[in-house]
Amino acid sequence: MTANSYGFDTLAIHAGQEPDPRTGAVVPPIYQTSTYAQDAVGAPRLGYEYSRSGNPTRDSLQECLAAIEGGRRGLAFASGLAAEDTLLRTVCRPGDHVVIPNDAYGGTFRLFSKVAERWGLDWTAAPLDDIDSVRAAFRPGHTRLIWSETPTNPLLNVNDVAQLAGLAHEYDAMLAVDNTFASPYLQQPIALGADVVIHSTTKYLGGHSDVVGGALVTADEGLGEELAFHQNAMGGVNGPFDAWLTLRGIKTLGVRMDRHCDNAERIVGYLLDHPAVASVLYPGLETHPGHEVAAKQMSRFGGMVSFRASGGPEQAIAICNRAKLFVLAESLGGVESLIEHPGQMTHLSAAGSALEVPADLVRLSVGIETVDDLLADLEQALG
């Protein structure tokens, strides 16, 4: 099944999920097995030998991921960072260089600065919404990859995917886009020129805060084969039950994202007028510097909202601590609303670096609850 033949919601429900040929079960089974009986030496049945190398439940998820992102090959991993690490060690070598966002997710920054750098990979942080800055950061002959997030976590900056792809390809480099915040329902980077898309499937794809996972989707079959080799060789795969939970979550991605967006838009309107809020960061605002690009490459603006507290860091922390319906927790993209203080939680690893986030910043992952209840909780939390 491909994006050319069916609509998004149809693909989310059916791609890679044909009824079981033996029983007719309409939901793919959980193949909770580590190994497989072979028909003869050198003749594994349907190619399955060992579940690190291949598992039918994971294969169903991988086929669905490729279909909803409009890619050629989908690969599922134990976490988003396992997917990121596999990508880096597949396409880069010691001595190569990567341009990353100057407001990257804290875990991504930690991977580059504490792990990949020791392996010999160099990197430069640049504002990816400024193409001249990205070009200036390039090292022709050494820069292998532009690593984009759009919108970014947690400052919700927007990168022009088509523009970055053009620049990367001009220098025979690749563009990787972390599409976790938008989800493939709102944005499809491969159609805009990206070479590979990254997801923490823990977030909107899984959607229920009950499973951890990651994914890569490639535009090119050859790159997909290289990544599949490293996926097996490095072993950071997800288990069959985790794959099944993620696949179940994807079925309702479209309807959930519509509600996430509806609720986020209401909350943004409320925050704009509140005296405890100094500024609101949301790509859907016409005053947002990336609004025009977001409107061009996204169908809507997502369920993530950040704001800066007018009373400074102490007030930001107090707001997080007073929230009740908004659960104080890391992660995002689940059906329940979450609130966090990035500086001391998800982005603590960037403290003291050029990627340190403002101490007065609060990040909301707006869920799908009754929006009036969410607004009432914010009212009491903001004081």
Side-chain angles (χ1 to χ4, degrees), residues 188-267:
Q188 296 191 332
I190 287 174
L192 299 169
D195 298 285
V196 58
V197 171
I198 307 155
H199 280 283
S200 170
T201 59
T202 309
K203 313 305 193 296
Y204 285 110
L205 290 172
H208 295 79
S209 302
D210 57 8
V211 62
V212 174
L216 299 172
V217 180
T218 68
D220 175 73
E221 187 66 41
L223 177 58
E225 286 294 326
E226 290 184 55
L227 288 167
F229 172 84
H230 284 78
Q231 178 195 41
N232 177 50
M234 295 166 66
V237 298
N238 60 357
F241 185 50
D242 290 347
W244 186 88
L245 283 171
T246 305
L247 200 57
R248 183 186 66 168
I250 289 173
K251 289 176 184 287
T252 59
L253 178 62
V255 293
R256 286 188 286 107
M257 291 308 300
D258 282 336
R259 175 63 73 85
H260 284 299
C261 293
D262 288 345
N263 284 359
E265 289 167 7
R266 286 280 306 278
I267 285 170

Side-chain angles (χ1 to χ4, degrees), residues 294-354:
K296 177 180 67 174
Q297 64 189 26
M298 300 174 70
S299 58
R300 292 185 72 180
F301 303 104
M304 299 302 300
V305 179
S306 292
F307 65 90
R308 300 184 69 168
S310 57
E314 290 185 2
Q315 185 192 33
I317 292 169
I319 291 167
C320 292
N321 289 336
R322 284 196 296 261
K324 294 183 174 63
L325 192 55
F326 277 86
V327 179
L328 179 62
E330 296 189 2
S331 198
L332 58 102
V335 293
E336 62 287 305
S337 294
L338 305 178
I339 190 170
E340 68 131 355
H341 183 263
Q344 294 192 29
M345 295 173 69
T346 53
H347 290 68
L348 182 60
S349 61
S353 77

